[in-house]
């Protein structure tokens, strides 16, 4: 019976060491997806928003030339944004004008709907407009990009994985 004491202590020490190493690894391993809004020039993250794979987000803005609303819908992929759909109210510069195989184009209530785009993007670069009022819709949250970066500057949106440490604000 006395021989079991050192073995139990050794097993407890090994178990504690394994738990410590596992907890430390989970703290520094990038596991959690986040939508990163970064300064386009420096790459410095301005805002990190927790997201989930498959989650849909929307970018609402006013077209700078037509002065009409545009809504782009993206899904969160594996470290990419996937452009899924575009909604707009007038044709013109910068608006889609043709439909590729697998995509659908419809008109509903005065809006043009281009769906099933399924276009993966490693990042999305945006110039924050003075007129555009770029606003991200993520679940119940509305984020004005003009509050994140100065109008006239550009930002890069991408999906990256964060560590637990980053997620907790460290």
């Amino acid at each position: 019976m006395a021989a079991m004491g050192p073995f139990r202590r050794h097993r407890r020490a090994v178990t504690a060491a394994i738990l410590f190493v596992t907890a430390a690894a989970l703290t520094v391993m990038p596991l959690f997806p986040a939508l990163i809004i970064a300064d386009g020039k420096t790459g410095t993250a301005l805002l990190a928003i927790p997201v989930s794979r498959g989650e849909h987000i929307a970018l609402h803005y006013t077209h700078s030339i037509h002065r009409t609303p545009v809504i782009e819908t993206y899904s969160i992929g594996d470290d990419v944004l996937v452009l899924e759909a575009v909604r707009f109210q007038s044709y013109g510069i910068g608006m889609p004008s043709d439909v590729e195989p697998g995509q659908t184009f419809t008109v509903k209530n005065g809006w043009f709907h281009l769906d099933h785009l399924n276009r993966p993007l490693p990042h999305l670069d945006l110039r924050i407009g003075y007129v555009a009022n770029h606003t991200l819709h993520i679940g119940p949250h509305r984020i004005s990009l003009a509050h994140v970066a100065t109008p006239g500057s550009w930002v890069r949106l991408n999906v990256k994985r964060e560590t637990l440490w980053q997620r907790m604000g460290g």
Side-chain angles (χ1 to χ4, degrees):
M1 196 66 97
M4 291 297 284
F7 177 73
R8 282 189 184 156
R9 280 194 299 273
H10 178 70
R11 188 168 69 186
R12 283 185 185 152
V14 169
T15 301
I18 289 171
L19 288 173
F20 175 77
V21 168
T22 301
L26 289 175
T27 302
V28 297
M29 288 179 60
L31 298 173
F32 305 98
L35 178 67
I36 306 298
I37 302 172
D39 180 284
K41 288 183 181 178
T42 66
T44 302
L46 304 172
L47 185 63
I49 305 157
V51 292
S52 300
R53 188 179 187 287
E55 182 175 357
H56 285 86
I57 65 172
L59 176 64
H60 292 230
Y61 61 94
T62 300
H63 194 283
S64 62
I65 296 171
H66 312 132
R67 304 284 202 258
T68 56
V70 178
I71 303 170
E72 297 176 353
T73 303
Y74 298 85
S75 63
I76 303 299
D78 290 325
D79 299 328
V80 295
L81 287 167
V82 181
L83 178 61
E84 301 287 354
V86 179
R87 312 266 186 272
F88 53 98
Q89 288 186 333
S90 69
Y91 269 119
I93 298 169
M95 294 292 98
S97 59
D98 58 347
V99 178
E100 297 176 10
Q103 298 175 352
T104 59
F105 180 81
T106 55
V107 180
K108 298 177 188 170
N109 300 322
W111 284 78
F112 299 102
H113 294 245
L114 186 56
D115 293 298
H116 309 292
L117 298 175
N118 195 29
R119 188 172 300 147
L121 304 169
H123 59 266
L124 176 63
D125 289 337
L126 293 172
R127 174 118 3 231
I128 305 300
Y130 293 93
V131 173
N133 190 27
H134 292 98
T135 305
L136 280 174
H137 293 230
I138 303 175
H141 306 288
R142 306 294 176 260
I143 301 164
S144 169
L145 294 184
H147 291 142
V148 177
T150 306
S153 66
W154 67 281
V155 295
R156 173 165 285 178
L157 282 65
N158 58 13
V159 178
K160 289 189 176 179
R161 297 189 179 275
E162 292 184 309
T163 65
L164 181 59
W165 180 255
Q166 291 168 317
R167 183 64 56 96
M168 294 178 358

